[in-house]
Amino acid sequence: QKEVEQDPGPLSVPEGAIVSLNCTYSNSAFQYFMWYRQYSRKGPELLMYTYSSGNKEDGRFTAQVDKSSKYISLFIRDSQPSDSATYLCAMGSRGGSYIPTFGRGTSLIVHP
Amino acid sequence: DAMVIQNPRYQVTQFGKPVTLSCSQTLNHNVMYWYQQKSSQAPKLLFHYYDKDFNNEADTPDNFQSRRPNTSFCFLDIRSPGLGDAAMYLCATSLTGGGSPLHFGNGTRLTVT
């Protein structure tokens, strides 16, 4: 079992839809959770950063962490064609030389 | 704007011909990372530096070397590129080793002919 599991998709939705992207993980020591957006031929861009369980909202994006279930989600409201990209989850634990573990990414396509 | 800059964006090299990729940062972050990313795969960590302390991943091939001459710059040297080394190479930085997020450059796409 991989440490971080993420469905690669592609996930195709119409413009305006609510998108739910998810990752599961096996390491209970993970405390920091991140979502990155990666456009084609570009580097990943940090979207959301959360610590421990709970929700965090930033504009149309909401990140949710459920440590008891080892499950994290990213919700995108009112999705736009410009949201079409690959979304990578990443997570890590405090202390030492911090090396986050990445999921393989979910490809999202928002069609007009 | 503070950022992570990678050069070149695209690099073509011949099989076995050494190549060097460069990364610079204006964020003044302590940690710098090199990742290899192949299509539809998670980024794979090759090495990272905490300041001048070099950390090599156990499964990073000996063909890959790195240098960090100062805080701002980091280089990835591929001594004898093989066809399997064609990939996107991503440089990233983070402020500390204690859980701060990574900031990525736009990558160098390496083609091996």
Side-chain angles (χ1 to χ4, degrees):
Chain A
Q1 180 191 12
K2 288 185 180 177
E3 244 188 333
V4 177
E5 298 274 5
Q6 186 175 13
D7 187 330
L11 177 63
S12 182
V13 301
E15 184 175 355
I18 297 174
V19 174
S20 172
L21 303 166
N22 310 295
C23 288
T24 58
Y25 62 96
S26 57
N27 188 342
S28 57
F30 287 151
Q31 297 173 293
Y32 293 87
F33 304 90
M34 295 165 284
W35 284 97
Y36 286 87
R37 177 176 63 195
Q38 186 174 22
Y39 290 115
S40 180
R41 301 185 185 276
K42 299 272 186 156
E45 168 195 11
L46 181 67
L47 272 180
M48 301 289 277
Y49 179 81
T50 53
Y51 173 74
S52 198
S53 286
N55 293 0
K56 182 176 181 179
E57 188 174 321
D58 184 0
R60 295 184 297 112
F61 299 90
T62 300
Q64 229 173 48
V65 175
D66 182 349
K67 289 192 73 180
S68 61
S69 302
K70 298 192 181 69
Y71 189 89
I72 69 169
S73 300
L74 178 71
F75 297 97
I76 308 175
R77 291 185 299 280
D78 188 25
S79 56
Q80 303 295 309
S82 58
D83 295 326
S84 299
T86 296
Y87 290 81
L88 296 148
C89 65
M91 48 200 78
S93 51
R94 186 189 283 274
S97 58
Y98 165 63
I99 304 295
T101 301
F102 281 84
R104 63 182 292 187
T106 298
S107 175
L108 173 66
I109 301 166
V110 182
H111 51 88
Chain B
D1 285 342
M3 51 185 12
V4 180
I5 300 167
Q6 290 187 246
N7 283 302
R9 288 295 312 281
Y10 301 93
Q11 176 73 57
V12 180
T13 191
Q14 293 176 335
F15 183 94
K17 186 173 180 181
V19 66
T20 295
L21 311 182
S22 74
C23 177
S24 65
Q25 57 135 338
T26 59
L27 296 162
N28 205 31
H29 282 174
N30 293 316
V31 192
M32 293 188 79
Y33 310 76
W34 279 106
Y35 283 88
Q36 180 193 65
Q37 188 181 31
K38 296 188 176 180
S39 183
S40 301
Q41 295 184 20
K44 178 182 181 297
L45 183 65
L46 297 174
F47 350 76
H48 75 281
Y49 285 88
Y50 193 108
D51 287 332
K52 293 184 180 179
D53 291 335
F54 175 71
N55 298 272
N56 194 31
E57 293 301 294
D59 58 353
T60 298
D62 293 340
N63 198 24
F64 291 82
Q65 305 283 317
S66 183
R67 298 169 280 140
R68 188 179 184 186
N70 55 52
T71 302
S72 301
F73 286 88
C74 198
F75 299 95
L76 172 63
D77 301 307
I78 309 176
R79 291 192 296 190
S80 182
L83 297 178
D85 296 327
M88 172 80 94
Y89 290 87
L90 295 165
C91 175
T93 70
S94 70
L95 181 60
T96 69
S100 53
L102 271 62
H103 299 265
F104 284 88
N106 272 327
T108 295
R109 181 165 294 278
L110 178 68
T111 300
V112 182
T113 61

